[in-house]
Amino acid sequence: MSEPIAPLMPHARGMCWLHTLHEASEEHVLAEALPGFDHPFARPEGIAIWHGLEYMAQAVAAWAGWQARRRGEPPAIGFLLGTRRYAFGPSHIALDRPLLIRVRREFFSDNGLGQFRCELEQGGQGIASASLSVFEPPDAQAFLQGTPSP
């Protein structure tokens, strides 16, 4: 399986940083990005490694979008609640080199709360890892407006 990832995500106006979905299941996703010199946070030395959290969060969004597509639904809006144990080696993500993002579901409950273990790999080397906590409300618009969902 290798398919464009953008249709699985609600990101708009160039904010989808991922390019390809290589694997997906109930438990995991393997996605790929190609961070280039046109990336909004690119610098001559690369992209600061702390942006790796956004790559991870987007891979979680791709996982959720893949799940939604299996149910015949459009991708939903979700929220990154926090991260734990963000560990990294290099200070920057290299430009014009494929970046693999591995995401494994630790849990995802019926109320929309989930936790995922995420890893970034570039050039065959692990460069960052973290656990992300996320929330996908049943009705994102009601949630954003502070209206209780049914």
Side-chain angles (χ1 to χ4, degrees):
M1 159 200 282
S2 279
E3 63 179 276
I5 211 164
L8 299 174
M9 301 171 57
H11 296 66
R13 296 186 294 280
M15 288 310 296
C16 179
W17 295 358
L18 308 182
H19 296 93
T20 307
L21 178 68
H22 290 298
E23 297 176 10
S25 75
E26 290 285 328
E27 303 298 322
H28 84 286
V29 152
L30 174 61
E32 182 177 325
L34 185 59
F37 289 93
D38 61 342
H39 189 282
F41 297 105
R43 300 291 177 263
E45 62 276 12
I47 298 168
I49 194 66
W50 57 270
H51 290 294
L53 291 171
E54 179 64 19
Y55 282 104
M56 293 174 183
Q58 287 196 18
V60 171
W63 176 87
W66 187 81
Q67 301 298 328
R69 182 175 69 186
R70 291 180 59 222
R71 294 188 305 269
E73 301 169 2
I77 294 173
F79 300 93
L80 174 62
L81 297 179
T83 184
R84 295 177 48 191
R85 297 183 300 274
Y86 188 48
F88 55 89
S91 62
H92 289 81
I93 297 167
L95 300 175
D96 285 342
R97 293 181 60 203
L99 177 68
L100 293 178
I101 306 97
R102 297 179 191 282
V103 168
R104 178 150 306 276
R105 179 185 74 169
E106 292 181 332
F107 72 85
F108 194 81
S109 63
D110 291 341
N111 67 2
L113 289 172
Q115 186 167 324
F116 294 82
R117 184 72 187 147
C118 306
E119 298 175 349
L120 300 181
E121 180 183 309
Q122 200 169 39
Q125 300 292 316
I127 63 169
S129 63
S131 289
L132 270 56
S133 298
V134 299
F135 177 54
E136 184 182 301
D139 183 341
Q141 292 306 318
F143 177 77
L144 289 170
Q145 294 171 359
T147 308
S149 45

